Amino acid sequence: MATITDTSTQTVAGETASDYDWNPWAPRRGLRCIACKTLFPLREVIYRCPKCGDLLDVVYPRPTLDIERVKARWWRRRASRRPIDASGVWRYRELMPFYERLDQLVTYPEGNTPLLEAPRSAEYANVKRLRFKHLGFNPTGSFKDYGMVAGVTQARILKMRAVACASTGNTSASMAAYAARAGLAAIVLVPEAGVSFAKLSQSLDYGALTLQVRGDFDEAQALLQQIAPEMGIYVLNSINPFRLEGQKSVMIELMEQLGWRAPDRIVVPGGNLGNSSSYGKALRELDDLGLLSKRPRITIVQATGAAPLYEAFTGGHPESLVRVHARTLATAIKIGSPVSWKKARRAVHWSDGWVTSVEEQDIADAKAIIGADGIGCEPASATTLGAVRRLAREGTDERIDPDEDVVAILTGNVLKDPDYTLRYHSGELYEEFTTETTITNKGNPLVSHYANPPMVVDATLPALRTALESRLRLS
Ligand code: F0G
């Protein structure tokens, strides 16, 4: 097992001092290393610091904004007929000024995702109120569109001809669509096994060259990073800091939806840890600009079988990450070596947040409850409700108070993994299984506590009557 250690600015406790308070601004625009702080030109095609190998942030000088005026302007743009103003990303472009001219900006448009009350989910989790911000309402059905729009914009500014990513399915779907819209060639590497057909079919339909790698996501990601420079292709995984610039707008949009009253806690699933990282950067910047009423505690959730960050935190070694061989039915977050873990740790430390993990059974049941709220999501997203319930009920590692104002982030649409949903409701979900045309090997069944199985009925009135009476208990 490999250990990746952060030796940049360690304190005695092993934590990184700059995690708790870092300067989000720079004297000029550029790419700044999160460890050695060296600033590189904005248009250099680099994904890691050429000096020390660490991750890069896109940085800008502190903007001078009249807060009330900029809030009003952002709100007005919602009603605009101009696509870049209607975009839930570019509407907030004052906080992501890495472009030169507005005509460089690519947009679908994206964002504008709802914040939904979820009373059944709240009751299930034992909190008084729970709201979901559902990022699955994006054009390709996942949160990736918030970041891809920025990554593809930078690819166009750089005059790249081809873009590529390794993916568990959503990044690839999003990149394929945005590349097609922007006229760029797209190359997608996905694990041969375990990517949902819904996601795979998206990248095929959007015309990406789709390579099914006989390996897992971590291997595909490592291969791509090695081959990209020699092939002259631009990598749009979340190691690309421009992706995270776009994803910042999830937080800005959320604060706007909440009338600029920040919640106590934001719960987000963690896979490659780009999303949580971008939330940390966004909140840090909003706080510095006086746009944050308080620091919401960023709480990252991983599946127990794919929880390297959780293990680093609870094992008391947040300065190093031990890669794991990832196993989870929530295939979107089946990642054992998350690339952005140091930025995610920075987000957790700065916001006084936490990292937790949930079991497969809890993810499956939580997903059914979110469905019963009429909302629905893909399995990775349901980790959030599983975590809120565990922390509110057990509170062994961290406690959620029933009165806390919690917003949970749903990252993918319910239609992203229909196979999982059908199996759950039919009582056919196994932690370990292999399929050919039907399941050939079943291991570790999960219990479908909230199953809503389909019924097959003969096409006759009596049969229909019997079925209705038995299910609706009519007499
Ligand atoms: N939820 C969904 C639905 C995802 O697709 C992903 C990541 C995550 C959560 C985790 O987000 O990586 O930013 O921590 N999916 C990537 C992909 C890895 O390739 O689609 P993260």
Side-chain angles (χ1 to χ4, degrees):
M1 254 186 217
T3 305
I4 316 157
T5 302
D6 175 9
T7 48
S8 51
T9 44
Q10 273 181 34
T11 63
V12 194
E15 291 166 343
T16 308
S18 60
D19 272 9
Y20 291 91
D21 200 18
W22 79 95
N23 181 2
W25 316 114
R28 57 179 194 282
R29 293 192 310 174
L31 295 165
R32 186 175 63 195
C33 174
I34 64 165
C36 73
K37 309 287 179 200
T38 312
L39 193 58
F40 300 94
L42 196 60
R43 304 295 175 220
E44 214 165 291
V45 183
I46 46 174
Y47 310 99
R48 285 189 176 277
C49 173
K51 271 175 70 185
C52 77
D54 224 313
L55 299 168
L56 300 167
D57 275 328
V58 182
V59 285
Y60 323 94
R62 188 177 192 278
T64 38
L65 301 174
D66 176 330
I67 291 178
E68 291 313 314
R69 284 179 68 168
V70 84
K71 281 190 202 166
R73 192 187 309 150
W74 288 341
W75 189 251
R76 264 199 318 274
R77 284 180 184 157
R78 292 180 86 90
S80 167
R81 287 196 187 84
R82 197 155 78 138
I84 55 164
D85 286 345
S87 160
V89 172
W90 299 124
R91 191 161 67 237
Y92 310 110
R93 55 187 174 267
E94 284 79 359
L95 299 189
M96 43 201 87
F98 64 84
Y99 56 90
E100 257 68 57
R101 302 181 320 273
L102 292 183
D103 66 3
Q104 293 171 320
L105 305 182
V106 176
T107 185
Y108 208 108
E110 47 288 311
N112 296 310
T113 58
L115 182 65
L116 304 165
E117 291 286 349
R120 291 176 192 81
S121 299
E123 192 189 337
Y124 173 76
N126 208 23
V127 290
K128 289 197 183 124
R129 185 183 192 191
L130 181 61
R131 282 175 287 185
F132 288 119
K133 176 140 178 78
H134 204 328
L135 313 184
F137 281 66
N138 267 294
T140 75
S142 83
F143 75 95
K144 305 290 180 179
D145 297 342
Y146 278 97
M148 204 52 76
V149 64
V152 169
T153 293
Q154 172 71 356
R156 272 230 309 217
I157 294 173
L158 293 170
K159 301 199 172 12
M160 295 310 240
R161 296 221 319 272
V163 291
C165 68
S167 180
T168 55
N170 278 329
T171 300
S172 45
S174 179
M175 191 195 76
Y178 276 87
R181 305 286 302 154
L184 303 171
I187 303 148
V188 155
L189 276 69
V190 290
E192 188 189 20
V195 170
S196 90
F197 281 168
K199 299 176 188 177
L200 185 61
S201 66
Q202 283 183 288
S203 55
L204 299 177
D205 213 38
Y206 301 139
L209 167 61
T210 304
L211 304 173
Q212 293 182 287
V213 179
R214 292 204 184 95
D216 61 15
F217 169 84
D218 298 300
E219 289 169 296
Q221 178 175 240
L223 281 170
L224 178 62
Q225 281 177 28
Q226 286 169 52
I227 207 164
E230 80 186 61
M231 303 293 285
I233 47 186
Y234 193 52
V235 177
L236 281 178
N237 275 104
S238 52
I239 192 168
N240 184 317
F242 292 91
R243 283 262 318 273
L244 304 197
E245 284 308 286
Q247 282 172 218
K248 285 191 319 195
S249 44
V250 175
M251 286 297 106
I252 312 171
E253 191 177 67
L254 173 65
M255 294 310 149
E256 190 180 57
Q257 283 169 315
L258 293 169
W260 301 100
R261 279 184 300 278
D264 295 316
R265 189 182 297 268
I266 292 167
V267 185
V268 57
N272 217 11
L273 298 171
N275 205 22
S276 37
S277 297
S278 72
Y279 295 179
K281 186 168 190 281
L283 295 177
R284 176 74 194 88
E285 291 175 3
L286 290 177
D287 190 36
D288 198 75
L289 293 169
L291 282 157
L292 205 62
S293 55
K294 69 170 121 161
R295 288 186 195 185
R297 309 173 84 168
I298 297 175
T299 304
I300 301 175
V301 196
Q302 302 198 292
T304 309
L309 191 69
Y310 169 72
E311 282 164 24
F313 268 75
T314 50
H317 55 88
E319 78 289 352
S320 63
L321 190 92
V322 181
R323 290 180 186 155
V324 301
H325 178 66
R327 295 158 72 95
T328 171
L329 294 179
T331 52
I333 51 171
K334 192 175 166 193
I335 295 173
S337 180
V339 78
S340 295
W341 66 279
K342 285 188 207 163
K343 287 184 181 175
R345 180 189 61 191
R346 177 176 79 175
V348 170
H349 281 160
W350 176 80
S351 70
D352 192 23
W354 189 237
V355 187
T356 190
S357 77
V358 280
E359 302 284 344
E360 296 295 305
Q361 179 68 56
D362 298 332
I363 299 172
D365 286 335
K367 182 173 136 46
I369 299 291
I370 297 168
D373 251 323
I375 295 174
C377 63
E378 67 164 287
S381 306
T383 56
T384 54
L385 178 60
V388 176
R389 176 180 158 99
R390 202 168 69 69
L391 299 185
R393 288 178 159 233
E394 296 170 16
T396 39
D397 41 353
E398 163 93 342
R399 172 161 283 287
I400 290 185
D401 188 275
D403 288 316
E404 264 186 50
D405 183 9
V406 181
V407 173
I409 307 292
L410 300 181
T411 44
N413 192 287
V414 67
L415 296 177
K416 284 285 194 175
D417 198 346
D419 192 51
Y420 181 106
T421 310
L422 265 176
R423 283 189 205 286
Y424 179 88
H425 288 292
S426 311
E428 283 280 314
L429 197 56
Y430 300 91
E431 272 191 60
E432 280 150 37
F433 65 94
T434 46
T435 37
E436 276 158 29
T437 44
T438 54
I439 300 183
T440 50
N441 172 34
K442 305 173 177 181
N444 292 356
L446 297 178
V447 188
S448 302
H449 290 116
Y450 306 94
N452 178 26
M455 288 173 85
V456 179
V457 290
D458 288 336
T460 65
L461 271 180
L464 192 56
R465 198 168 288 123
T466 311
L468 290 177
E469 281 171 359
S470 73
R471 279 296 275 275
L472 297 179
R473 291 195 175 76
L474 301 171
S475 55

